[in-house]
Amino acid sequence: MGKEILFVVSRPPYKSENPKLAITHAMACYVADIHIDEEVEPIMAFVADGVLNCIKNQRSEAFYGIISTEQHIKNQLASDMKMFVCKEDLQRLEIKEERLIDGKDMGAEVDLEMVGFEEILKEMERCDQVMFF
Amino acid sequence: MRLGVFVSDLRGNEKMLDRLKAEKLGVFLVENGIYHAVIKEDGMISPLLQKEGADYYVLTEDLQTRGFTSSEVDSKVSVVTYLDVVDLMMNDYEKLVWL
């Protein structure tokens, strides 16, 4: 097992670049290891208002002319990236599981995992590095 | 004064909006401001929607971009398009501010 980096997203999508930067940086880990001669394993966690990134049926291509955050998340899931969503924040914002992005649309074998914040804290402790967006 | 207020964030605008007074007040929920119209937090609607006498509008393009539909919008809020917003800005409000 190489170096594990946890990317934590705490802001909603589109208004600021932060959530998408986190997602694209995480994706870049898969190619970065070629250059740094070390395996890098990215993991993502959506917390606080960041869980709003995980709502499905985003139509940014139609209205903003940009690839949706949903598409990026599906791509990561199709690459078997582990992605957590904070259960307490979903409950607080009354977002039900069926409103979340479904990785299986892209043939992914893994899906967004709903976990408690305690679990995410444990991941922060376990991973070699944490990046907060 | 007929005042139109644009809100484009989910957090941090409630106090400022509360202090604004106008004979006619319109609140335009755009970009991440749309979440005020569709998200309940701990079972409560957004405090931003509790300004007495205000008219609320949410931009459908920003709503759909974020995965929501007009059927999920709070009944206090009217769903509008970009063209509607332009009409409202030109016809209904004298001053426009962006929180």
Side-chain angles (χ1 to χ4, degrees), chain A residues 12-15 49 52 55-60 63-64 92-94 99, chain B residues 8-9 11 31-32 35 40-43 61-62 64-68 72:
Chain A
Y14 300 113
K15 177 73 195 300
D49 296 340
L52 294 164
I55 288 177
K56 66 181 170 189
N57 299 328
Q58 296 174 24
R59 299 189 58 206
S60 66
F63 299 115
Y64 294 173
R92 180 175 56 84
L93 297 171
E94 300 190 355
R99 292 290 279 118
Chain B
S8 60
D9 282 306
R11 305 287 174 202
E31 300 181 356
N32 284 346
Y35 292 119
K40 283 186 180 164
E41 196 162 358
D42 295 324
E61 287 87 345
D62 288 340
Q64 292 181 59
T65 290
R66 287 158 180 79
F68 292 91
E72 295 168 276

PDB file of all heavy atoms in Angstrom, chain A residues 12-15 49 52 55-60 63-64 92-94 99, chain B residues 8-9 11 31-32 35 40-43 61-62 64-68 72:
ATOM      1  N   PRO A  12     -20.280  23.563  -0.943  1.00  0.00           N
ATOM      2  CA  PRO A  12     -21.191  23.124  -2.009  1.00  0.00           C
ATOM      3  C   PRO A  12     -20.573  23.336  -3.397  1.00  0.00           C
ATOM      4  O   PRO A  12     -19.597  24.067  -3.528  1.00  0.00           O
ATOM      5  CB  PRO A  12     -22.433  24.005  -1.819  1.00  0.00           C
ATOM      6  CG  PRO A  12     -22.029  25.126  -0.947  1.00  0.00           C
ATOM      7  CD  PRO A  12     -20.766  24.765  -0.251  1.00  0.00           C
ATOM      8  N   PRO A  13     -21.152  22.708  -4.440  1.00  0.00           N
ATOM      9  CA  PRO A  13     -20.525  22.777  -5.761  1.00  0.00           C
ATOM     10  C   PRO A  13     -20.749  24.083  -6.514  1.00  0.00           C
ATOM     11  O   PRO A  13     -21.626  24.865  -6.157  1.00  0.00           O
ATOM     12  CB  PRO A  13     -21.219  21.632  -6.513  1.00  0.00           C
ATOM     13  CG  PRO A  13     -22.560  21.552  -5.901  1.00  0.00           C
ATOM     14  CD  PRO A  13     -22.384  21.899  -4.456  1.00  0.00           C
ATOM     15  N   TYR A  14     -19.913  24.300  -7.522  1.00  0.00           N
ATOM     16  CA  TYR A  14     -20.073  25.324  -8.572  1.00  0.00           C
ATOM     17  C   TYR A  14     -19.739  26.760  -8.172  1.00  0.00           C
ATOM     18  O   TYR A  14     -19.094  27.461  -8.933  1.00  0.00           O
ATOM     19  CB  TYR A  14     -21.471  25.277  -9.211  1.00  0.00           C
ATOM     20  CG  TYR A  14     -21.744  23.928  -9.842  1.00  0.00           C
ATOM     21  CD1 TYR A  14     -22.707  23.081  -9.344  1.00  0.00           C
ATOM     22  CD2 TYR A  14     -20.978  23.493 -10.918  1.00  0.00           C
ATOM     23  CE1 TYR A  14     -22.920  21.823  -9.900  1.00  0.00           C
ATOM     24  CE2 TYR A  14     -21.179  22.242 -11.481  1.00  0.00           C
ATOM     25  CZ  TYR A  14     -22.153  21.413 -10.967  1.00  0.00           C
ATOM     26  OH  TYR A  14     -22.352  20.182 -11.510  1.00  0.00           O
ATOM     27  N   LYS A  15     -20.166  27.250  -7.001  1.00  0.00           N
ATOM     28  CA  LYS A  15     -19.908  28.663  -6.700  1.00  0.00           C
ATOM     29  C   LYS A  15     -18.411  28.915  -6.570  1.00  0.00           C
ATOM     30  O   LYS A  15     -17.887  29.904  -7.060  1.00  0.00           O
ATOM     31  CB  LYS A  15     -20.642  29.058  -5.409  1.00  0.00           C
ATOM     32  CG  LYS A  15     -20.399  30.486  -4.947  1.00  0.00           C
ATOM     33  CD  LYS A  15     -21.112  31.474  -5.838  1.00  0.00           C
ATOM     34  CE  LYS A  15     -20.636  32.905  -5.672  1.00  0.00           C
ATOM     35  NZ  LYS A  15     -20.808  33.443  -4.353  1.00  0.00           N
ATOM     36  N   ASP A  49     -21.564  21.208   4.146  1.00  0.00           N
ATOM     37  CA  ASP A  49     -22.308  21.532   2.922  1.00  0.00           C
ATOM     38  C   ASP A  49     -21.708  20.848   1.691  1.00  0.00           C
ATOM     39  O   ASP A  49     -22.308  20.867   0.614  1.00  0.00           O
ATOM     40  CB  ASP A  49     -22.345  23.049   2.705  1.00  0.00           C
ATOM     41  CG  ASP A  49     -23.112  23.755   3.808  1.00  0.00           C
ATOM     42  OD1 ASP A  49     -23.920  23.090   4.499  1.00  0.00           O
ATOM     43  OD2 ASP A  49     -22.909  24.969   3.994  1.00  0.00           O
ATOM     44  N   LEU A  52     -23.599  18.338  -0.629  1.00  0.00           N
ATOM     45  CA  LEU A  52     -24.465  18.785  -1.730  1.00  0.00           C
ATOM     46  C   LEU A  52     -23.849  18.482  -3.101  1.00  0.00           C
ATOM     47  O   LEU A  52     -24.545  18.492  -4.113  1.00  0.00           O
ATOM     48  CB  LEU A  52     -24.772  20.282  -1.595  1.00  0.00           C
ATOM     49  CG  LEU A  52     -25.614  20.652  -0.358  1.00  0.00           C
ATOM     50  CD1 LEU A  52     -25.547  22.138  -0.083  1.00  0.00           C
ATOM     51  CD2 LEU A  52     -27.062  20.218  -0.537  1.00  0.00           C
ATOM     52  N   ILE A  55     -25.436  15.148  -4.945  1.00  0.00           N
ATOM     53  CA  ILE A  55     -26.816  15.024  -5.435  1.00  0.00           C
ATOM     54  C   ILE A  55     -26.805  14.733  -6.936  1.00  0.00           C
ATOM     55  O   ILE A  55     -26.059  15.355  -7.694  1.00  0.00           O
ATOM     56  CB  ILE A  55     -27.611  16.303  -5.113  1.00  0.00           C
ATOM     57  CG1 ILE A  55     -27.870  16.340  -3.606  1.00  0.00           C
ATOM     58  CG2 ILE A  55     -28.926  16.368  -5.896  1.00  0.00           C
ATOM     59  CD1 ILE A  55     -28.576  17.556  -3.108  1.00  0.00           C
ATOM     60  N   LYS A  56     -27.646  13.767  -7.349  1.00  0.00           N
ATOM     61  CA  LYS A  56     -27.617  13.357  -8.764  1.00  0.00           C
ATOM     62  C   LYS A  56     -28.469  14.271  -9.661  1.00  0.00           C
ATOM     63  O   LYS A  56     -29.165  15.151  -9.165  1.00  0.00           O
ATOM     64  CB  LYS A  56     -28.052  11.906  -8.904  1.00  0.00           C
ATOM     65  CG  LYS A  56     -29.479  11.610  -8.548  1.00  0.00           C
ATOM     66  CD  LYS A  56     -29.719  10.103  -8.727  1.00  0.00           C
ATOM     67  CE  LYS A  56     -31.049   9.693  -8.158  1.00  0.00           C
ATOM     68  NZ  LYS A  56     -31.198   8.243  -8.124  1.00  0.00           N
ATOM     69  N   ASN A  57     -28.405  14.008 -10.937  1.00  0.00           N
ATOM     70  CA  ASN A  57     -29.124  14.753 -11.987  1.00  0.00           C
ATOM     71  C   ASN A  57     -28.657  16.201 -12.122  1.00  0.00           C
ATOM     72  O   ASN A  57     -29.450  17.096 -12.427  1.00  0.00           O
ATOM     73  CB  ASN A  57     -30.641  14.724 -11.754  1.00  0.00           C
ATOM     74  CG  ASN A  57     -31.192  13.314 -11.777  1.00  0.00           C
ATOM     75  OD1 ASN A  57     -30.678  12.468 -12.491  1.00  0.00           O
ATOM     76  ND2 ASN A  57     -32.210  13.051 -10.979  1.00  0.00           N
ATOM     77  N   GLN A  58     -27.383  16.460 -11.897  1.00  0.00           N
ATOM     78  CA  GLN A  58     -26.829  17.805 -12.093  1.00  0.00           C
ATOM     79  C   GLN A  58     -26.763  18.114 -13.592  1.00  0.00           C
ATOM     80  O   GLN A  58     -26.364  17.252 -14.366  1.00  0.00           O
ATOM     81  CB  GLN A  58     -25.428  17.894 -11.480  1.00  0.00           C
ATOM     82  CG  GLN A  58     -25.427  17.705  -9.975  1.00  0.00           C
ATOM     83  CD  GLN A  58     -24.024  17.654  -9.395  1.00  0.00           C
ATOM     84  OE1 GLN A  58     -23.077  18.174  -9.975  1.00  0.00           O
ATOM     85  NE2 GLN A  58     -23.883  17.008  -8.244  1.00  0.00           N
ATOM     86  N   ARG A  59     -27.150  19.329 -13.964  1.00  0.00           N
ATOM     87  CA  ARG A  59     -27.220  19.659 -15.392  1.00  0.00           C
ATOM     88  C   ARG A  59     -26.311  20.837 -15.768  1.00  0.00           C
ATOM     89  O   ARG A  59     -26.711  21.740 -16.487  1.00  0.00           O
ATOM     90  CB  ARG A  59     -28.680  19.936 -15.780  1.00  0.00           C
ATOM     91  CG  ARG A  59     -29.592  18.715 -15.550  1.00  0.00           C
ATOM     92  CD  ARG A  59     -30.950  18.930 -16.128  1.00  0.00           C
ATOM     93  NE  ARG A  59     -30.868  19.196 -17.548  1.00  0.00           N
ATOM     94  CZ  ARG A  59     -31.790  19.896 -18.225  1.00  0.00           C
ATOM     95  NH1 ARG A  59     -32.837  20.364 -17.612  1.00  0.00           N
ATOM     96  NH2 ARG A  59     -31.654  20.105 -19.524  1.00  0.00           N
ATOM     97  N   SER A  60     -25.117  20.822 -15.254  1.00  0.00           N
ATOM     98  CA  SER A  60     -24.205  21.941 -15.524  1.00  0.00           C
ATOM     99  C   SER A  60     -23.780  22.019 -16.985  1.00  0.00           C
ATOM    100  O   SER A  60     -23.480  23.102 -17.485  1.00  0.00           O
ATOM    101  CB  SER A  60     -22.975  21.858 -14.632  1.00  0.00           C
ATOM    102  OG  SER A  60     -22.214  20.721 -14.964  1.00  0.00           O
ATOM    103  N   PHE A  63     -26.436  24.187 -18.690  1.00  0.00           N
ATOM    104  CA  PHE A  63     -26.589  25.603 -18.317  1.00  0.00           C
ATOM    105  C   PHE A  63     -25.283  26.363 -18.173  1.00  0.00           C
ATOM    106  O   PHE A  63     -25.237  27.568 -18.387  1.00  0.00           O
ATOM    107  CB  PHE A  63     -27.405  25.708 -17.035  1.00  0.00           C
ATOM    108  CG  PHE A  63     -28.787  25.137 -17.185  1.00  0.00           C
ATOM    109  CD1 PHE A  63     -29.186  24.030 -16.475  1.00  0.00           C
ATOM    110  CD2 PHE A  63     -29.687  25.699 -18.080  1.00  0.00           C
ATOM    111  CE1 PHE A  63     -30.453  23.492 -16.628  1.00  0.00           C
ATOM    112  CE2 PHE A  63     -30.956  25.175 -18.251  1.00  0.00           C
ATOM    113  CZ  PHE A  63     -31.349  24.062 -17.521  1.00  0.00           C
ATOM    114  N   TYR A  64     -24.215  25.693 -17.754  1.00  0.00           N
ATOM    115  CA  TYR A  64     -22.925  26.376 -17.580  1.00  0.00           C
ATOM    116  C   TYR A  64     -21.908  25.973 -18.650  1.00  0.00           C
ATOM    117  O   TYR A  64     -20.844  26.571 -18.747  1.00  0.00           O
ATOM    118  CB  TYR A  64     -22.312  26.060 -16.213  1.00  0.00           C
ATOM    119  CG  TYR A  64     -23.064  26.576 -15.003  1.00  0.00           C
ATOM    120  CD1 TYR A  64     -22.663  26.224 -13.727  1.00  0.00           C
ATOM    121  CD2 TYR A  64     -24.162  27.430 -15.120  1.00  0.00           C
ATOM    122  CE1 TYR A  64     -23.327  26.689 -12.604  1.00  0.00           C
ATOM    123  CE2 TYR A  64     -24.833  27.889 -14.006  1.00  0.00           C
ATOM    124  CZ  TYR A  64     -24.420  27.514 -12.751  1.00  0.00           C
ATOM    125  OH  TYR A  64     -25.075  27.963 -11.638  1.00  0.00           O
ATOM    126  N   ARG A  92     -29.008  16.056   8.379  1.00  0.00           N
ATOM    127  CA  ARG A  92     -29.249  17.454   8.758  1.00  0.00           C
ATOM    128  C   ARG A  92     -29.910  18.213   7.600  1.00  0.00           C
ATOM    129  O   ARG A  92     -30.809  19.028   7.809  1.00  0.00           O
ATOM    130  CB  ARG A  92     -27.911  18.116   9.132  1.00  0.00           C
ATOM    131  CG  ARG A  92     -27.979  19.563   9.542  1.00  0.00           C
ATOM    132  CD  ARG A  92     -26.611  20.057   9.996  1.00  0.00           C
ATOM    133  NE  ARG A  92     -25.564  19.878   9.001  1.00  0.00           N
ATOM    134  CZ  ARG A  92     -25.325  20.715   8.006  1.00  0.00           C
ATOM    135  NH1 ARG A  92     -26.053  21.803   7.872  1.00  0.00           N
ATOM    136  NH2 ARG A  92     -24.368  20.482   7.136  1.00  0.00           N
ATOM    137  N   LEU A  93     -29.454  17.926   6.376  1.00  0.00           N
ATOM    138  CA  LEU A  93     -29.989  18.632   5.202  1.00  0.00           C
ATOM    139  C   LEU A  93     -31.145  17.866   4.551  1.00  0.00           C
ATOM    140  O   LEU A  93     -31.613  18.235   3.476  1.00  0.00           O
ATOM    141  CB  LEU A  93     -28.872  18.871   4.185  1.00  0.00           C
ATOM    142  CG  LEU A  93     -27.738  19.768   4.690  1.00  0.00           C
ATOM    143  CD1 LEU A  93     -26.567  19.772   3.717  1.00  0.00           C
ATOM    144  CD2 LEU A  93     -28.218  21.201   4.915  1.00  0.00           C
ATOM    145  N   GLU A  94     -31.572  16.808   5.224  1.00  0.00           N
ATOM    146  CA  GLU A  94     -32.705  15.990   4.774  1.00  0.00           C
ATOM    147  C   GLU A  94     -32.536  15.481   3.339  1.00  0.00           C
ATOM    148  O   GLU A  94     -33.466  15.528   2.529  1.00  0.00           O
ATOM    149  CB  GLU A  94     -34.020  16.770   4.936  1.00  0.00           C
ATOM    150  CG  GLU A  94     -34.279  17.156   6.386  1.00  0.00           C
ATOM    151  CD  GLU A  94     -35.659  17.712   6.632  1.00  0.00           C
ATOM    152  OE1 GLU A  94     -36.409  17.900   5.664  1.00  0.00           O
ATOM    153  OE2 GLU A  94     -35.976  17.959   7.805  1.00  0.00           O
ATOM    154  N   ARG A  99     -31.370  10.282  -3.457  1.00  0.00           N
ATOM    155  CA  ARG A  99     -31.009  11.524  -4.156  1.00  0.00           C
ATOM    156  C   ARG A  99     -29.520  11.569  -4.508  1.00  0.00           C
ATOM    157  O   ARG A  99     -29.053  12.491  -5.160  1.00  0.00           O
ATOM    158  CB  ARG A  99     -31.350  12.747  -3.284  1.00  0.00           C
ATOM    159  CG  ARG A  99     -32.813  12.986  -3.060  1.00  0.00           C
ATOM    160  CD  ARG A  99     -33.524  13.463  -4.333  1.00  0.00           C
ATOM    161  NE  ARG A  99     -33.330  14.881  -4.556  1.00  0.00           N
ATOM    162  CZ  ARG A  99     -32.710  15.384  -5.617  1.00  0.00           C
ATOM    163  NH1 ARG A  99     -32.222  14.600  -6.527  1.00  0.00           N
ATOM    164  NH2 ARG A  99     -32.586  16.698  -5.759  1.00  0.00           N
TER     165      ARG A  99
ATOM    166  N   SER B   8     -26.216  34.556  -3.445  1.00  0.00           N
ATOM    167  CA  SER B   8     -25.570  33.499  -4.230  1.00  0.00           C
ATOM    168  C   SER B   8     -24.802  32.497  -3.369  1.00  0.00           C
ATOM    169  O   SER B   8     -24.077  31.671  -3.900  1.00  0.00           O
ATOM    170  CB  SER B   8     -24.623  34.121  -5.255  1.00  0.00           C
ATOM    171  OG  SER B   8     -23.629  34.876  -4.604  1.00  0.00           O
ATOM    172  N   ASP B   9     -24.967  32.595  -2.044  1.00  0.00           N
ATOM    173  CA  ASP B   9     -24.298  31.649  -1.151  1.00  0.00           C
ATOM    174  C   ASP B   9     -25.296  30.999  -0.215  1.00  0.00           C
ATOM    175  O   ASP B   9     -26.367  31.553   0.044  1.00  0.00           O
ATOM    176  CB  ASP B   9     -23.227  32.365  -0.310  1.00  0.00           C
ATOM    177  CG  ASP B   9     -21.978  32.621  -1.117  1.00  0.00           C
ATOM    178  OD1 ASP B   9     -21.441  31.660  -1.696  1.00  0.00           O
ATOM    179  OD2 ASP B   9     -21.554  33.797  -1.185  1.00  0.00           O
ATOM    180  N   ARG B  11     -24.467  30.250   3.010  1.00  0.00           N
ATOM    181  CA  ARG B  11     -24.219  30.687   4.388  1.00  0.00           C
ATOM    182  C   ARG B  11     -23.883  32.172   4.472  1.00  0.00           C
ATOM    183  O   ARG B  11     -23.306  32.736   3.540  1.00  0.00           O
ATOM    184  CB  ARG B  11     -23.041  29.918   4.987  1.00  0.00           C
ATOM    185  CG  ARG B  11     -23.171  28.423   4.931  1.00  0.00           C
ATOM    186  CD  ARG B  11     -24.179  27.902   5.917  1.00  0.00           C
ATOM    187  NE  ARG B  11     -24.371  26.464   5.712  1.00  0.00           N
ATOM    188  CZ  ARG B  11     -25.448  25.812   6.106  1.00  0.00           C
ATOM    189  NH1 ARG B  11     -26.424  26.432   6.723  1.00  0.00           N
ATOM    190  NH2 ARG B  11     -25.557  24.535   5.890  1.00  0.00           N
ATOM    191  N   GLU B  31     -27.107  30.882  -8.098  1.00  0.00           N
ATOM    192  CA  GLU B  31     -25.921  30.070  -7.794  1.00  0.00           C
ATOM    193  C   GLU B  31     -26.193  29.219  -6.539  1.00  0.00           C
ATOM    194  O   GLU B  31     -27.216  28.567  -6.460  1.00  0.00           O
ATOM    195  CB  GLU B  31     -24.682  30.973  -7.661  1.00  0.00           C
ATOM    196  CG  GLU B  31     -24.408  31.734  -8.951  1.00  0.00           C
ATOM    197  CD  GLU B  31     -23.188  32.621  -8.897  1.00  0.00           C
ATOM    198  OE1 GLU B  31     -22.556  32.746  -7.837  1.00  0.00           O
ATOM    199  OE2 GLU B  31     -22.850  33.213  -9.938  1.00  0.00           O
ATOM    200  N   ASN B  32     -25.268  29.253  -5.543  1.00  0.00           N
ATOM    201  CA  ASN B  32     -25.499  28.402  -4.367  1.00  0.00           C
ATOM    202  C   ASN B  32     -26.584  28.954  -3.437  1.00  0.00           C
ATOM    203  O   ASN B  32     -26.951  28.299  -2.452  1.00  0.00           O
ATOM    204  CB  ASN B  32     -24.201  28.181  -3.596  1.00  0.00           C
ATOM    205  CG  ASN B  32     -23.300  27.169  -4.288  1.00  0.00           C
ATOM    206  OD1 ASN B  32     -23.758  26.461  -5.177  1.00  0.00           O
ATOM    207  ND2 ASN B  32     -22.053  27.100  -3.899  1.00  0.00           N
ATOM    208  N   TYR B  35     -29.999  26.809  -2.738  1.00  0.00           N
ATOM    209  CA  TYR B  35     -30.216  25.806  -1.680  1.00  0.00           C
ATOM    210  C   TYR B  35     -31.210  26.308  -0.625  1.00  0.00           C
ATOM    211  O   TYR B  35     -31.880  25.506   0.018  1.00  0.00           O
ATOM    212  CB  TYR B  35     -28.890  25.411  -1.019  1.00  0.00           C
ATOM    213  CG  TYR B  35     -27.962  24.648  -1.941  1.00  0.00           C
ATOM    214  CD1 TYR B  35     -26.702  25.141  -2.269  1.00  0.00           C
ATOM    215  CD2 TYR B  35     -28.348  23.433  -2.494  1.00  0.00           C
ATOM    216  CE1 TYR B  35     -25.851  24.448  -3.111  1.00  0.00           C
ATOM    217  CE2 TYR B  35     -27.512  22.735  -3.348  1.00  0.00           C
ATOM    218  CZ  TYR B  35     -26.262  23.248  -3.650  1.00  0.00           C
ATOM    219  OH  TYR B  35     -25.437  22.547  -4.497  1.00  0.00           O
ATOM    220  N   LYS B  40     -34.055  21.842   3.602  1.00  0.00           N
ATOM    221  CA  LYS B  40     -34.431  22.107   4.990  1.00  0.00           C
ATOM    222  C   LYS B  40     -33.271  21.644   5.855  1.00  0.00           C
ATOM    223  O   LYS B  40     -32.622  20.661   5.537  1.00  0.00           O
ATOM    224  CB  LYS B  40     -35.681  21.329   5.359  1.00  0.00           C
ATOM    225  CG  LYS B  40     -36.935  21.936   4.802  1.00  0.00           C
ATOM    226  CD  LYS B  40     -38.151  21.205   5.312  1.00  0.00           C
ATOM    227  CE  LYS B  40     -39.403  21.831   4.725  1.00  0.00           C
ATOM    228  NZ  LYS B  40     -40.562  20.966   4.881  1.00  0.00           N
ATOM    229  N   GLU B  41     -33.019  22.375   6.925  1.00  0.00           N
ATOM    230  CA  GLU B  41     -31.926  21.994   7.809  1.00  0.00           C
ATOM    231  C   GLU B  41     -32.508  21.677   9.174  1.00  0.00           C
ATOM    232  O   GLU B  41     -33.173  22.533   9.769  1.00  0.00           O
ATOM    233  CB  GLU B  41     -30.916  23.137   7.882  1.00  0.00           C
ATOM    234  CG  GLU B  41     -29.605  22.692   8.440  1.00  0.00           C
ATOM    235  CD  GLU B  41     -28.481  23.665   8.113  1.00  0.00           C
ATOM    236  OE1 GLU B  41     -28.715  24.675   7.413  1.00  0.00           O
ATOM    237  OE2 GLU B  41     -27.364  23.414   8.578  1.00  0.00           O
ATOM    238  N   ASP B  42     -32.272  20.466   9.648  1.00  0.00           N
ATOM    239  CA  ASP B  42     -32.876  20.007  10.907  1.00  0.00           C
ATOM    240  C   ASP B  42     -34.386  20.244  10.899  1.00  0.00           C
ATOM    241  O   ASP B  42     -34.973  20.660  11.908  1.00  0.00           O
ATOM    242  CB  ASP B  42     -32.228  20.712  12.109  1.00  0.00           C
ATOM    243  CG  ASP B  42     -30.756  20.342  12.253  1.00  0.00           C
ATOM    244  OD1 ASP B  42     -30.417  19.179  11.973  1.00  0.00           O
ATOM    245  OD2 ASP B  42     -29.961  21.212  12.632  1.00  0.00           O
ATOM    246  N   GLY B  43     -34.996  20.017   9.755  1.00  0.00           N
ATOM    247  CA  GLY B  43     -36.447  20.133   9.631  1.00  0.00           C
ATOM    248  C   GLY B  43     -36.965  21.551   9.458  1.00  0.00           C
ATOM    249  O   GLY B  43     -38.174  21.752   9.321  1.00  0.00           O
ATOM    250  N   GLU B  61     -32.219  27.725 -13.890  1.00  0.00           N
ATOM    251  CA  GLU B  61     -30.985  27.181 -14.475  1.00  0.00           C
ATOM    252  C   GLU B  61     -30.006  26.737 -13.370  1.00  0.00           C
ATOM    253  O   GLU B  61     -29.380  25.683 -13.471  1.00  0.00           O
ATOM    254  CB  GLU B  61     -30.296  28.233 -15.375  1.00  0.00           C
ATOM    255  CG  GLU B  61     -31.003  28.470 -16.700  1.00  0.00           C
ATOM    256  CD  GLU B  61     -32.109  29.514 -16.646  1.00  0.00           C
ATOM    257  OE1 GLU B  61     -32.544  29.882 -15.519  1.00  0.00           O
ATOM    258  OE2 GLU B  61     -32.561  29.962 -17.724  1.00  0.00           O
ATOM    259  N   ASP B  62     -29.876  27.549 -12.326  1.00  0.00           N
ATOM    260  CA  ASP B  62     -28.957  27.201 -11.232  1.00  0.00           C
ATOM    261  C   ASP B  62     -29.511  26.051 -10.385  1.00  0.00           C
ATOM    262  O   ASP B  62     -28.750  25.251  -9.839  1.00  0.00           O
ATOM    263  CB  ASP B  62     -28.695  28.428 -10.350  1.00  0.00           C
ATOM    264  CG  ASP B  62     -27.817  29.453 -11.050  1.00  0.00           C
ATOM    265  OD1 ASP B  62     -27.126  29.074 -12.013  1.00  0.00           O
ATOM    266  OD2 ASP B  62     -27.828  30.626 -10.648  1.00  0.00           O
ATOM    267  N   GLN B  64     -31.420  23.523 -11.571  1.00  0.00           N
ATOM    268  CA  GLN B  64     -31.247  22.273 -12.326  1.00  0.00           C
ATOM    269  C   GLN B  64     -29.782  21.865 -12.410  1.00  0.00           C
ATOM    270  O   GLN B  64     -29.464  20.680 -12.401  1.00  0.00           O
ATOM    271  CB  GLN B  64     -31.839  22.416 -13.719  1.00  0.00           C
ATOM    272  CG  GLN B  64     -33.347  22.530 -13.703  1.00  0.00           C
ATOM    273  CD  GLN B  64     -33.902  22.651 -15.107  1.00  0.00           C
ATOM    274  OE1 GLN B  64     -33.703  21.784 -15.947  1.00  0.00           O
ATOM    275  NE2 GLN B  64     -34.597  23.739 -15.373  1.00  0.00           N
ATOM    276  N   THR B  65     -28.900  22.860 -12.479  1.00  0.00           N
ATOM    277  CA  THR B  65     -27.468  22.561 -12.505  1.00  0.00           C
ATOM    278  C   THR B  65     -27.074  21.752 -11.278  1.00  0.00           C
ATOM    279  O   THR B  65     -26.230  20.860 -11.351  1.00  0.00           O
ATOM    280  CB  THR B  65     -26.660  23.879 -12.543  1.00  0.00           C
ATOM    281  OG1 THR B  65     -26.861  24.467 -13.817  1.00  0.00           O
ATOM    282  CG2 THR B  65     -25.177  23.645 -12.322  1.00  0.00           C
ATOM    283  N   ARG B  66     -27.710  22.054 -10.153  1.00  0.00           N
ATOM    284  CA  ARG B  66     -27.346  21.392  -8.893  1.00  0.00           C
ATOM    285  C   ARG B  66     -28.196  20.166  -8.585  1.00  0.00           C
ATOM    286  O   ARG B  66     -28.194  19.669  -7.466  1.00  0.00           O
ATOM    287  CB  ARG B  66     -27.408  22.424  -7.755  1.00  0.00           C
ATOM    288  CG  ARG B  66     -26.241  23.404  -7.836  1.00  0.00           C
ATOM    289  CD  ARG B  66     -26.499  24.693  -7.118  1.00  0.00           C
ATOM    290  NE  ARG B  66     -25.342  25.579  -7.233  1.00  0.00           N
ATOM    291  CZ  ARG B  66     -25.054  26.311  -8.311  1.00  0.00           C
ATOM    292  NH1 ARG B  66     -25.849  26.264  -9.376  1.00  0.00           N
ATOM    293  NH2 ARG B  66     -23.988  27.079  -8.341  1.00  0.00           N
ATOM    294  N   GLY B  67     -28.963  19.704  -9.574  1.00  0.00           N
ATOM    295  CA  GLY B  67     -29.679  18.441  -9.426  1.00  0.00           C
ATOM    296  C   GLY B  67     -31.070  18.543  -8.839  1.00  0.00           C
ATOM    297  O   GLY B  67     -31.628  17.533  -8.424  1.00  0.00           O
ATOM    298  N   PHE B  68     -31.629  19.751  -8.780  1.00  0.00           N
ATOM    299  CA  PHE B  68     -32.976  19.912  -8.227  1.00  0.00           C
ATOM    300  C   PHE B  68     -33.982  20.276  -9.321  1.00  0.00           C
ATOM    301  O   PHE B  68     -33.602  20.732 -10.402  1.00  0.00           O
ATOM    302  CB  PHE B  68     -32.987  21.011  -7.148  1.00  0.00           C
ATOM    303  CG  PHE B  68     -32.233  20.622  -5.914  1.00  0.00           C
ATOM    304  CD1 PHE B  68     -30.884  20.922  -5.784  1.00  0.00           C
ATOM    305  CD2 PHE B  68     -32.853  19.927  -4.881  1.00  0.00           C
ATOM    306  CE1 PHE B  68     -30.175  20.548  -4.651  1.00  0.00           C
ATOM    307  CE2 PHE B  68     -32.156  19.558  -3.749  1.00  0.00           C
ATOM    308  CZ  PHE B  68     -30.813  19.864  -3.630  1.00  0.00           C
ATOM    309  N   GLU B  72     -39.393  20.703  -6.078  1.00  0.00           N
ATOM    310  CA  GLU B  72     -38.796  20.633  -4.733  1.00  0.00           C
ATOM    311  C   GLU B  72     -38.691  22.009  -4.075  1.00  0.00           C
ATOM    312  O   GLU B  72     -38.236  22.121  -2.937  1.00  0.00           O
ATOM    313  CB  GLU B  72     -37.400  20.009  -4.822  1.00  0.00           C
ATOM    314  CG  GLU B  72     -37.424  18.559  -5.286  1.00  0.00           C
ATOM    315  CD  GLU B  72     -36.050  18.026  -5.648  1.00  0.00           C
ATOM    316  OE1 GLU B  72     -35.617  18.264  -6.799  1.00  0.00           O
ATOM    317  OE2 GLU B  72     -35.419  17.404  -4.798  1.00  0.00           O
TER     318      GLU B  72
END
